[in-house]
Amino acid sequence: AKSEGRNCYQLFVPSMSEQAQKQAYIQNQLRQILEHNQLEVHYQGQYSVEEDRFIGFEALVRWPQRDNQPRISPAQFIPIAEQSRLIYDLGQAVLIQACTVLQEWQESTHTRHLTLAVNLSAKQLNAHDFLDRLENILCRFTFPFTKLTFEITETAFLEHSECVTRTVNTLKAMGFSLALDDFGTGYSSLNYLQNLPFDIIKIDQCFIQRLGTCNKTWALVKAIITIADAFNMSIVAEGVESKKQLESVIALGCDKIQGYYYSTPIPKEQIDSLISSTTPA
Ligand code: C2E
Ligand code: CA
Ligand code: CA
Ligand code: CA
């Protein structure tokens, strides 16, 4: 037993240090990227089937593209940024870029209806100066606050929930739209719906993927949509990739769709041609 333990120990340590090295690398790179203002943001369309047009976009942060290397995914670098103060500067950089796009949309009639959603991490919401930083950015812009949506995941309320709840209520009072992100993947989703001022529920893509194969998922999504209707919240189905999935969510009564079926996340330069093309790719 003793020698087994030693083997485990020897296998375990190198892989841990490899992970720690990777983490340190990402942290250092990210610090430089932020210093040089090189962080990119892509935008993914949200389509209304009823209106037959894009009604908004979600801002998704992107690692800069460098000499044909693959970009590091936000699923990898966001959690690392959250372990340090880098998440604050990252969040600020994304928000400034997003607000700039939203401001540009106000100038033209074919983009003025669009909303823009920005993701907030729990750590940002917990920062004591979050609202001050936010107001410092927003005072440079004149778009109506109702055009800006903040996407917050359920897990943001697990820790320091009182502080987060207070901030979320303030955001609502200021006029922003609030979306509960990755709905159904957390622990007490229903409780949050009742007690927090969300306008939008985003059904997580794992439910959309299971729709075709699982009757229980069908019933679950139907129930979520019924609750959203009763609470006067709107629903966005995430991760809709296929025609079949699109037909399923429409049959369930969901009108707003975000997913590769209508659009992948794209740089802002491509938004105009996306919204002027009538048929999805
Ligand atoms: P999320 O907020 O749930 O964003 C949706 C993710 O699903 C995005 O991944 C998007 O590219 C992907 N997606 C959209 N449609 C489809 C589809 O049809 N099929 C599949 N397979 N995937 C689809 P992405 O951009 O890699 O972002 C991953 C996560 O990183 C986000 O999940 C969000 O939690 C976080 N994130 C991204 N940008 C930011 C940001 O600016 N701030 C913060 N705090 N988090 C961010
Ligand atoms: Ca999101
Ligand atoms: Ca999501
Ligand atoms: Ca997610």
Side-chain angles (χ1 to χ4, degrees), residues 157-177:
F157 298 94
L158 289 179
E159 282 173 66
H160 318 284
S161 79
E162 240 173 78
C163 169
V164 175
T165 302
R166 214 179 315 121
T167 305
V168 162
N169 282 314
T170 305
L171 291 174
K172 175 70 182 173
M174 288 171 80
F176 301 106
S177 225

Side-chain angles (χ1 to χ4, degrees), residues 36 47 63 67 108 116 235 253 271:
H36 297 103
Y47 199 87
W63 196 261
D67 5 276
S108 153
L116 189 52
I235 290 266
I271 292 174

